[in-house]
Amino acid sequence: MYQLETRAVAFLDILGFSDLTAQAEKEIVAQEKFEGLKTVIDSHVRWDNDRISSAVPDILKPSYLFISDSIILSVPMTSQKYDGLLIVAIKSIEIAHKVLEMGFLLRGGIAIGNVRHEPKNIFGTGYIEAYKLEQVVSAPRIVLSEEAEAHMRTATSSNSPLKDHGIWIEEDEHVRLDTLHPHYIRDIHQHGRIEHAFGQYRAHISMSLGHRDAKARGKWRAMRAQFNRALDLHRIDVTPIK
């Protein structure tokens, strides 16, 4: 039987992954970078749920798919205490940090709708909406669908309004995630970790502003603007990029 449930689902695309794949067929350095990125993402998909608090029911831990340059994750919207949209949003931000730390950008869409998420496949209009939304997003951003945005404005998680979680940015016609929110950096409790991570981001962005491809340069210019905004918003002691 074709059973569906209401889930929050994110469709995330690693920008530049396809080019890296092509380069890896010819260059040893690109091969090493490709394997490193693949290992980081594959490890996140395989082991992320092991790091989630045992207080969160297993049914509410994200289901993942990692296919080529795309990462798909979804969570049921059935809990009275934990909100599936919030979980998907936070996990998407964590992935964005990991990807940028390796010099790549992330683009995506998050939707709420009917989904059947199997271990090796995913179906349903919720997934299709997230996929279509990602296709029209100007990079690099992760934006909410209209239904997801409406839910964010009215729902609560653990008695706290979703809209007050500080990870949403209103921009143009969409609400997007604050993918540079420092609270979701890996190993956040290490002394100086935030400044170190943003120093790496700064180096990757600055170097990529001279990318040979005009479209790629445009994406990195957009990330420069987001980076400088994040430094000011979160009061991070790193020099802005001119």
Side-chain angles (χ1 to χ4, degrees):
M1 183 178 293
Y2 186 54
Q3 295 179 332
L4 299 168
E5 61 180 340
T6 304
R7 299 176 74 96
V9 55
F11 188 97
L12 309 175
D13 183 53
I14 304 172
L15 302 176
F17 190 88
S18 297
D19 290 342
L20 179 62
T21 302
Q23 293 173 14
E25 296 177 1
K26 307 173 184 177
E27 305 170 10
I28 293 178
V29 173
Q31 290 173 12
E32 294 173 349
K33 191 171 184 179
F34 171 83
E35 291 297 336
L37 177 61
K38 182 178 179 298
T39 298
V40 167
I41 300 302
D42 195 47
S43 296
H44 182 95
V45 169
R46 289 175 180 268
W47 311 115
D48 178 60
N49 287 340
D50 293 344
R51 295 188 290 270
I52 295 177
S53 170
S54 59
V56 179
D58 286 344
I59 194 173
L60 292 176
K61 294 177 181 179
S63 297
Y64 285 97
L65 288 173
F66 178 27
I67 306 171
S68 185
D69 59 352
S70 299
I71 305 165
I72 305 160
L73 62 147
S74 73
V75 174
M77 299 290 292
T78 55
S79 173
Q80 297 297 316
K81 183 178 180 181
Y82 300 98
D83 186 84
L85 174 63
L86 181 62
I87 295 173
V88 165
I90 289 173
K91 292 303 171 184
S92 297
I93 293 172
E94 289 177 356
I95 293 170
H97 276 292
K98 289 182 178 180
V99 167
L100 183 55
E101 203 165 10
M102 298 192 70
F104 293 87
L105 300 175
L106 203 65
R107 176 179 67 199
I110 297 178
I112 295 175
N114 291 327
V115 172
R116 177 175 173 175
H117 198 152
E118 299 178 347
K120 295 184 178 181
N121 212 336
I122 187 168
F123 310 90
T125 54
Y127 160 70
I128 293 171
E129 184 174 6
Y131 167 76
K132 288 184 176 180
L133 185 58
E134 183 274 331
Q135 295 294 298
V136 300
V137 169
S138 59
R141 299 188 302 172
I142 302 174
V143 303
L144 304 186
S145 70
E146 291 183 4
E147 184 174 351
E149 179 182 338
H151 178 85
M152 177 272 293
R153 296 188 187 282
T154 58
T156 61
S157 183
S158 299
N159 298 318
S160 175
L162 256 65
K163 61 183 178 63
D164 294 342
H165 274 264
I167 61 172
W168 324 101
I169 295 176
E170 300 205 23
E171 185 177 80
D172 300 329
E173 298 178 357
H174 292 287
V175 171
R176 68 172 176 89
L177 301 186
D178 182 1
T179 52
L180 289 173
H181 197 298
H183 182 75
Y184 302 101
I185 293 174
R186 178 171 51 89
D187 301 326
I188 183 64
H189 298 296
Q190 293 181 3
H191 178 70
R193 176 68 177 116
I194 292 175
E195 288 76 16
H196 176 74
F198 273 79
Q200 285 185 287
Y201 302 164
R202 189 184 192 283
H204 286 309
I205 296 167
S206 298
M207 181 176 63
S208 299
L209 289 172
H211 198 287
R212 64 182 182 276
D213 181 79
K215 289 185 178 179
R217 289 198 302 272
K219 294 170 185 176
W220 284 103
R221 283 197 295 267
M223 179 50 71
R224 174 178 59 184
Q226 293 182 30
F227 175 86
N228 289 338
R229 181 189 185 282
L231 296 181
D232 183 60
L233 177 64
H234 300 294
R235 299 181 180 180
I236 298 169
D237 188 19
V238 172
T239 304
I241 304 171
K242 295 183 179 180

